[in-house]
């Protein structure tokens, strides 16, 4: 799921004039995703990171912050795809996304950031910690259980149990 989000983000980044031609590349690439090479994914991740950093820089000087948490989360997903990032950079991006979502009281962004953190923790063999984090956030929802994010969160919780 995160891979397709990254591709969607890159297409959206093209709307803002960043990286000419990237949106067209992504549109043509997404249906043939299984044919993509590792080098293509790394190139896309690098371009996505530049777009995310540019968007975050605009936000830092007074831009709209409603997407701040989600941009940070997507940056973490892009770091996972890239070859030059460290585990610490990825985790820091996800944790910052979670903190921003909490500050904004944006539960939808919070659960998405938590899922990214939990997937990273699962890779590290820290399933119990991941389950606790996600269960705490998921448990605060009273509605919206048919949304994609909460459906995915429920599936991830089941997988972590």
């Amino acid at each position: 799921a995160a891979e397709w989000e990254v591709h969607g983000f890159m297409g959206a980044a093209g709307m803002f004039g960043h990286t000419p031609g990237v949106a067209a590349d992504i549109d043509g690439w997404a249906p043939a995703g299984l044919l993509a090479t590792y080098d293509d994914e790394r190139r896309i991740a690098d371009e996505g990171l530049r777009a995310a950093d540019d968007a975050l820089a605009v936000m830092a000087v007074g831009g709209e912050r409603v997407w701040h948490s989600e941009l940070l989360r997507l940056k973490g997903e892009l770091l996972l795809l890239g070859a030059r990032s460290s585990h610490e950079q990825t985790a820091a991006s996800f944790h910052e996304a979670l903190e921003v979502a909490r500050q904004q009281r944006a539960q939808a962004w919070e659960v998405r950031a938590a899922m990214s953190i939990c997937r990273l923790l699962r890779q590290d063999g820290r399933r119990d910690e991941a389950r606790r984090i996600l269960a705490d956030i998921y448990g605060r929802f009273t509605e919206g259980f048919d949304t994609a994010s909460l459906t995915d969160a429920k599936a991830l919780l089941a997988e972590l149990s």
Side-chain angles (χ1 to χ4, degrees):
E3 182 177 326
W4 294 109
E5 291 169 355
V6 167
H7 297 292
F9 169 72
M10 286 300 298
M15 292 188 310
F16 297 106
H18 183 81
T19 340
V22 171
D25 290 346
I26 300 303
D27 289 342
W29 186 81
L34 294 176
L35 302 176
T37 64
Y38 178 72
D39 287 338
D40 286 340
E41 288 181 11
R42 192 170 48 197
R43 177 187 56 81
I44 290 168
D46 289 345
E47 291 170 357
L49 282 169
R50 283 192 297 277
D53 285 339
D54 287 352
L56 288 165
V58 168
M59 238 179 252
V61 293
E64 179 61 50
R65 295 188 183 271
V66 71
W67 295 97
H68 191 194
S69 174
E70 185 65 356
L71 270 173
L72 290 165
R73 189 190 70 77
L74 285 171
K75 180 178 177 177
E77 297 292 350
L78 288 160
L79 286 166
L80 278 176
L81 288 176
R84 296 181 208 122
S85 68
S86 71
H87 185 277
E88 292 78 22
Q89 286 176 303
T90 301
S93 190
F94 289 154
H95 284 283
E96 187 178 358
L98 183 63
E99 184 57 33
V100 168
R102 285 180 174 159
Q103 289 171 1
Q104 292 178 333
R105 291 178 169 67
Q107 279 187 292
W109 296 143
E110 188 177 359
V111 76
R112 291 170 64 81
M115 285 190 293
S116 291
I117 290 168
C118 291
R119 288 184 195 104
L120 194 61
L121 290 171
R122 179 185 60 196
Q123 288 176 353
D124 293 343
R126 298 163 57 189
R127 297 172 72 85
D128 290 341
E129 182 181 352
R131 185 178 26 78
R132 279 192 301 273
I133 290 169
L134 189 54
D136 175 58
I137 294 166
Y138 185 82
R140 288 189 259 137
F141 280 86
T142 58
E143 61 186 357
F145 294 103
D146 58 342
T147 63
S149 292
L150 291 185
T151 301
D152 291 348
K154 183 178 179 179
L156 183 54
L157 275 171
E159 182 184 322
L160 294 169
S161 294

